[in-house]
Amino acid sequence: MFSPNPGKKLTIEVRGEKWARYPVKTHFITEKDNLDEVLARYVLPYLRKGDVVCFGDKIISIFQRRIVYRKDLKVGFWAKFLSKFAKKSPHGFSVGNPLKMQVAINQAGLMRVILAGMIGLVSKLFGISGNFYRLVGHQINQLDGFYGDVFPQYADMGMLGPVNCDNFCSQLRRKYGFSFLIVDANDLGQNILGRSSDLRGREKIFLEILKDNPAGQADEMTPILILRKVDETS
């Protein structure tokens, strides 16, 4: 029924327990889709008691309409200039993309971006990275999109990080009776952005379960995982 993504394993052992990570393949989710309908179509029929539904952050951003379109952005001088000093990413994630730098300026303000950029450059001289994103705030470190090599649809749209993630997950738990996670994950690392109230305090365990990014980050189209503890005696 569920197959692992290329280069990934369907199960993993964590702290003496075996966990299945079932990738849920969907159609290409857009802002026209409805979360309840997606869950009813792809997820709910396969859930068992004790399962955890894990969303990638991008799909939640889309459901929350946290989208910025290229046509609505006017990339100015400062965005073009400052983006030249940002670390470039082969995956198109960083503010080295002028479109993303313009979003950062629009969200945080020009002076904050300039100050964060200056401190970030100085910090790099001492081997410290990431200060730009820490100082600029406004979830700019979660800004995705404006990169169409994998999905052409993303070339003209950017996605801000999802908001109120804990509350979002807890509302889903009350509605459906299962546990929910929202994770910002790639092959370099994972970060839990939200969890339903019953999962608080168990974040480290789930980070271990997801440490190899079983959902993938290319064209797998598996933005949802079903996490299930495997009872080998059954």
Side-chain angles (χ1 to χ4, degrees):
M1 180 173 60
F2 294 103
S3 300
N5 282 316
K8 310 295 181 180
K9 295 181 179 180
L10 202 61
T11 61
I12 189 173
E13 187 169 318
V14 173
R15 303 187 186 189
E17 297 177 334
K18 192 173 183 181
W19 284 81
R21 299 93 49 87
Y22 297 128
V24 178
K25 196 170 187 65
T26 70
H27 64 281
F28 186 86
I29 303 297
T30 73
E31 70 276 15
K32 296 179 182 178
D33 285 298
N34 176 276
L35 174 58
D36 293 315
E37 292 176 359
V38 169
L39 288 173
R41 178 178 176 184
Y42 295 111
V43 181
L44 296 178
Y46 306 103
L47 291 181
R48 299 179 186 173
K49 183 178 179 180
D51 284 353
V52 178
V53 180
C54 179
F55 297 107
D57 61 326
K58 190 180 301 181
I59 188 175
I60 300 303
S61 293
I62 291 172
F63 284 131
Q64 291 183 339
R65 309 298 190 263
R66 299 270 293 161
I67 301 172
V68 181
Y69 293 99
R70 181 192 292 260
K71 64 180 178 62
D72 297 324
L73 281 177
K74 184 178 180 181
V75 179
F77 165 81
W78 283 107
K80 296 175 184 177
F81 177 73
L82 293 172
S83 65
K84 296 177 182 179
F85 298 94
K87 181 179 178 180
K88 301 299 187 293
S89 165
H91 303 292
F93 294 150
S94 78
V95 288
N97 179 330
L99 288 162
K100 292 185 178 182
M101 184 63 80
Q102 187 62 56
V103 173
I105 292 171
N106 292 352
Q107 292 289 312
L110 176 60
M111 294 311 299
R112 187 184 184 104
V113 170
I114 292 175
L115 179 61
M118 292 173 61
I119 294 174
L121 283 174
V122 173
S123 298
K124 288 180 182 178
L125 298 177
F126 296 93
I128 303 171
S129 61
N131 271 345
F132 171 82
Y133 292 103
R134 283 189 282 270
L135 292 170
V136 81
H138 292 77
Q139 294 180 279
I140 300 303
N141 63 322
Q142 295 172 32
L143 178 61
D144 207 344
F146 295 126
Y147 179 74
D149 282 21
V150 178
F151 293 109
Q153 297 93 326
Y154 288 155
D156 296 318
M157 59 186 286
M159 285 152 285
L160 299 166
V163 295
N164 302 318
C165 293
D166 283 344
N167 186 52
F168 189 92
C169 290
S170 291
Q171 286 181 344
L172 289 176
R173 174 165 175 77
R174 288 192 292 271
K175 186 171 186 176
Y176 292 109
F178 294 96
S179 303
F180 290 86
L181 285 172
I182 299 173
V183 178
D184 176 11
N186 56 55
D187 289 338
L188 301 177
Q190 296 76 40
N191 182 34
I192 292 177
L193 304 181
R195 78 291 285 157
S196 50
S197 56
D198 60 304
L199 297 182
R200 287 175 187 159
R202 301 176 63 193
E203 292 86 353
K204 290 183 179 179
I205 294 174
F206 287 103
L207 286 175
E208 291 182 46
I209 293 169
L210 300 167
K211 64 182 179 182
D212 60 338
N213 188 24
Q217 65 183 97
D219 58 354
E220 294 88 350
M221 288 179 61
T222 54
I224 305 171
L225 296 168
I226 295 174
L227 308 179
R228 178 178 299 161
K229 188 185 294 186
V230 178
D231 183 0
E232 297 183 299
T233 62
S234 61

